[in-house]
Amino acid sequence: MMTCVVEYVIDPAQIEAFERFGRRWMELVNRHGGTHHGYFLPAEGASDKALALFSFPSLAAYEQYRTLFGKDPDFVEADRIRDDSGCVLRYERTFMRPLLPDPSP
């Protein structure tokens, strides 16, 4: 499994648009073979930082999902929320592998 961590710098005045953008991408990741772990938004005080975490079973599965960017109408529509609102100022993607708790006692 590989997890993508996306660190965003957002426009705090466009938080509602960012939430619409996030809800749409959670749906798309889950529909196309990934598991979205959610978006993490500023909770207290002024902040322009947000995070998203989602996993795919493998890099190959993630790359298959990425082939839909700019082609699939649902992906284009989701990106349009970001582009039209200006809610995302910039972002950076990092790929990580999780170290999870051992399920056995």
Side-chain angles (χ1 to χ4, degrees):
M1 176 177 13
M2 56 131 290
T3 298
C4 184
V5 179
V6 186
E7 297 178 63
Y8 293 94
V9 176
I10 62 173
D11 179 348
Q14 294 294 331
I15 194 76
E16 288 180 23
F18 186 79
E19 289 178 10
R20 279 195 324 274
F21 168 77
R23 280 191 290 276
R24 194 70 181 107
W25 279 108
M26 286 188 280
E27 177 187 324
L28 291 170
V29 165
N30 290 333
R31 186 188 320 156
H32 291 284
T35 300
H36 209 295
H37 309 292
Y39 282 79
F40 300 84
L41 308 174
E44 197 172 311
S47 178
D48 62 354
K49 307 286 188 233
L51 294 172
L53 290 95
F54 56 91
S55 298
F56 277 86
S58 66
L59 184 57
Y62 172 77
E63 289 172 347
Q64 180 64 36
Y65 153 82
R66 288 285 298 172
T67 65
L68 299 170
F69 277 65
K71 297 176 186 171
D72 183 285
D74 290 334
F75 282 54
V76 171
E77 182 242 335
D79 277 343
R80 189 172 296 125
I81 296 168
R82 178 198 62 215
D83 296 343
D84 289 352
S85 70
C87 64
V88 174
L89 303 176
R90 64 182 172 278
Y91 65 93
E92 182 177 317
R93 261 189 304 257
T94 304
F95 297 96
M96 307 183 105
R97 60 179 178 83
L99 175 64
L100 302 171
D102 186 353
S104 61

